[in-house]
Amino acid sequence: MSAKIALLFFDASFFKKKIELKNYQQKLIAKQFNINLLQLILPIIFMNAIKKISSKETVTVRHPVLRSGKNIETCIFEGDDLDTTHHFGYYVDGKLVGVISIYQNKNSNFNSDNQFQIRGMAVLNTHQKKGFGKQLINYCENFTFVQNNKLIWMNARVSAVSFYEKLGYKKINSSFEIKDVGFHFLMYKEIG
């Protein structure tokens, strides 16, 4: 074999190996990406999911968490069944473990025209400290952002203020008491 032919053979096999290596790396990255994607998607599909629910369904979580020991009717809030109100539930293995409600409601403390109020945010005690509440809040923020919302506000229980602050909510004014429920702070977050 002449040197010229040997050199062409070498170059061709070198490029073939280089292409094979590149294809292998791409397949490896794709495989790794698919695995990572599955790790994110499978829990949502098969175990954990946030779904739109009815106002009646919220009571099963609101009652034991927010109104324990009180009459179940105290878990039904004014505005629950308005067309502009939306309720979401967090499911683990098909069981409702967390709820949140978002109301289109203007608070005079804020200048923004398009405001939503979070109410009835609750996660069953057995499922707290697992990030479900944070996911419910993030879901509502994204939902209201799509609705061209500029601000979300809430009356947060004193015990929940640090939770909301970690999510970027700010408290204004001093605490106030809601009869038969406890002390709260007005909190808000600008969206978008």
Side-chain angles (χ1 to χ4, degrees):
M1 189 182 301
S2 74
K4 199 172 190 180
I5 294 173
L7 184 59
L8 284 172
F9 179 77
F10 173 77
D11 285 345
S13 67
F14 172 77
F15 286 116
K16 183 179 178 189
K17 287 182 181 178
K18 192 172 181 179
I19 289 169
E20 287 173 357
L21 179 61
K22 188 174 182 179
N23 287 341
Y24 173 75
Q25 289 171 331
Q26 287 174 339
K27 286 178 185 175
L28 188 62
I29 290 169
K31 184 178 179 183
Q32 196 171 16
F33 176 76
N34 287 338
I35 290 171
N36 289 341
L37 194 59
L38 285 174
Q39 288 171 337
L40 291 171
I41 293 174
L42 285 177
I44 294 169
I45 294 172
F46 295 109
M47 295 187 297
N48 301 354
I50 296 175
K51 301 176 187 174
K52 192 164 175 115
I53 60 174
S54 70
S55 62
K56 289 177 183 163
E57 291 171 290
T58 64
V59 174
T60 61
V61 178
R62 282 181 183 174
H63 189 248
V65 178
L66 302 176
R67 302 289 197 266
S68 181
K70 294 186 170 63
N71 192 320
I72 201 158
E73 283 78 27
T74 63
C75 300
I76 301 165
F77 301 152
E78 182 181 337
D80 265 352
D81 293 318
L82 294 175
D83 290 339
T84 56
T85 299
H86 305 277
H87 308 281
F88 301 100
Y90 193 96
Y91 288 83
V92 174
D93 296 326
K95 180 183 177 199
L96 182 62
V97 300
V99 297
I100 192 167
S101 300
I102 190 107
Y103 303 73
Q104 193 165 13
N105 190 12
K106 187 165 173 51
N107 185 312
S108 61
N109 286 294
F110 306 107
N111 292 328
S112 178
D113 288 330
N114 199 9
Q115 301 176 20
F116 281 87
Q117 178 188 10
I118 288 177
R119 288 193 74 190
M121 208 308 258
V123 175
L124 293 176
N125 292 336
T126 55
H127 290 80
Q128 290 180 2
K129 309 283 187 217
K130 296 180 182 180
F132 301 156
K134 179 181 177 181
Q135 290 179 51
L136 283 166
I137 294 288
N138 289 338
Y139 192 89
C140 278
E141 289 175 1
N142 291 330
F143 177 83
T144 59
F145 179 76
V146 171
Q147 308 290 322
N148 198 28
N149 175 43
K150 302 293 182 215
L151 184 127
I152 294 177
W153 64 275
M154 69 194 69
N155 295 322
R157 290 172 183 235
V158 172
S159 60
V161 166
S162 64
F163 167 76
Y164 291 116
E165 286 177 330
K166 289 176 189 172
L167 298 175
Y169 287 82
K170 298 173 186 163
K171 61 182 178 180
I172 61 170
N173 302 329
S174 54
S175 66
F176 59 94
E177 186 174 9
I178 296 177
K179 188 179 178 196
D180 298 325
V181 180
F183 283 92
H184 290 68
F185 279 95
L186 176 60
M187 298 188 78
Y188 75 98
K189 182 176 182 178
E190 293 181 24
I191 305 297

